[in-house]
Amino acid sequence: MTQSPARRPLKVLLAAPRGFCAGVDRAIQIVERAIEKYGAPVYVRHEIVHNRHVVERLRNLGAVFVEELHECPDDRPVVFSAHGVPKSVPAEASRREMIYLDATCPLVSKVHVEAQRHYDAGKEIVLIGHAGHPEVVGTMGQLPEGAVTLIETVEDAQVYQPRDPSRVAFATQTTLSVDDTAEIVATLRARFPDMAAPHKEDICYATTNRQEAVKAVAEKADLLLVIGSANSSNSVRLAEVGRRAGCPAHLIDDAGALDLGWLDAVQVVGVTAGASAPEDLVQGVIDRMAERFAVTVEVAEAARETVSFKLPRALAETA
């Protein structure tokens, strides 16, 4: 009987924090509790969070995902996604006397409040973010059309022309690259020294912490695996941060998307997960690597997170 060859050692550096943030956890719970309280179906405007596995699991529980409110019947509850919605959406839901639950992340809501405050103070508002992303659509939709100018790049910042250079304020999408955003803000600030800033950083704690953890891992890893869906802004940014730090990176949905051939010349592989990716997907990727390699796991902790957000009062009693 021939013995199978010994498996080659592979060290996994597991970034911490990774995976679900408080806003994602709250949004998922809102859908789950709504189904418990009202029964299925519960409608959800846009994917509750940008992760295929989360959406599929909730769909199996009785969630129906739609893109616009007109696709929802008047007599069933609707949940607004964690990314936030324009003001016109809850206004229309109220007009139709619908039951609606707002799962907007409180840190996105903070950006909405600040944008309104700057607008009320007569400022011209610049929003740094990605065109078409639902969070950007929701934030721009808090104010009248034309009140917010979207800036995506340093080049945009260089050519932006406000009506009054002394009355500019900026806000940002919560899931951006910290380094890229700092470069854009520096460009704007050089042109508009009086530009008003958020009271507190708009890029959320979870985005910042996960990017810092990736930088720490990328210094020691030969390859980085980021678990998350391709439409997840924060997951895409993690892969970009890894590459910028000099570490090749792959964004994968799950273990089924992992090509073990990527690891043939790798001694140390970094693993992280976007803020909307469940932890069981991380374990699945590690288990898949263990089929071929003698895997050892080391946690690289950059920060500890203790943030949690309350559920809406209408659902609190079902928690």
Side-chain angles (χ1 to χ4, degrees), residues 261-284:
W262 295 339
L263 304 172
D264 283 345
V266 168
Q267 304 299 316
V268 180
V269 58
V271 175
T272 190
S276 45
E279 183 65 16
D280 63 328
L281 299 182
V282 177
Q283 190 57 52

Side-chain angles (χ1 to χ4, degrees), residues 23 80 124 142 154 173 215 235 263:
F80 303 148
E124 295 182 49
Q142 300 304 302
V154 168
Q173 188 178 331
K215 289 177 187 176
S235 301
L263 304 172

Side-chain angles (χ1 to χ4, degrees), residues 41-112:
V42 165
Y43 284 74
V44 184
R45 186 189 178 279
H46 195 72
E47 291 188 354
I48 186 68
V49 297
H50 284 157
N51 185 271
R52 181 170 61 84
H53 291 271
V54 170
V55 168
E56 282 302 314
R57 186 179 70 80
L58 293 173
R59 187 176 278 129
N60 290 335
L61 290 177
V64 176
F65 292 91
V66 299
E67 283 306 305
E68 298 296 345
L69 200 62
H70 68 73
E71 300 172 69
C72 305
D74 292 348
D75 61 348
R76 294 305 304 161
V78 60
V79 178
F80 303 148
S81 81
H83 312 98
V85 296
K87 270 187 177 173
S88 58
V89 175
E92 174 64 10
S94 295
R95 187 192 69 76
R96 290 170 57 185
E97 299 183 347
M98 301 173 77
I99 296 171
Y100 67 88
L101 299 155
D102 190 354
T104 301
C105 173
L107 299 180
V108 173
S109 297
K110 177 188 86 70
V111 178
H112 293 178

Side-chain angles (χ1 to χ4, degrees), residues 11-31:
K11 183 176 181 179
V12 173
L13 266 183
L14 197 53
R18 65 184 176 278
F20 281 2
C21 62
V24 164
D25 191 50
R26 174 180 179 270
I28 293 168
Q29 283 192 60
I30 286 172
V31 179

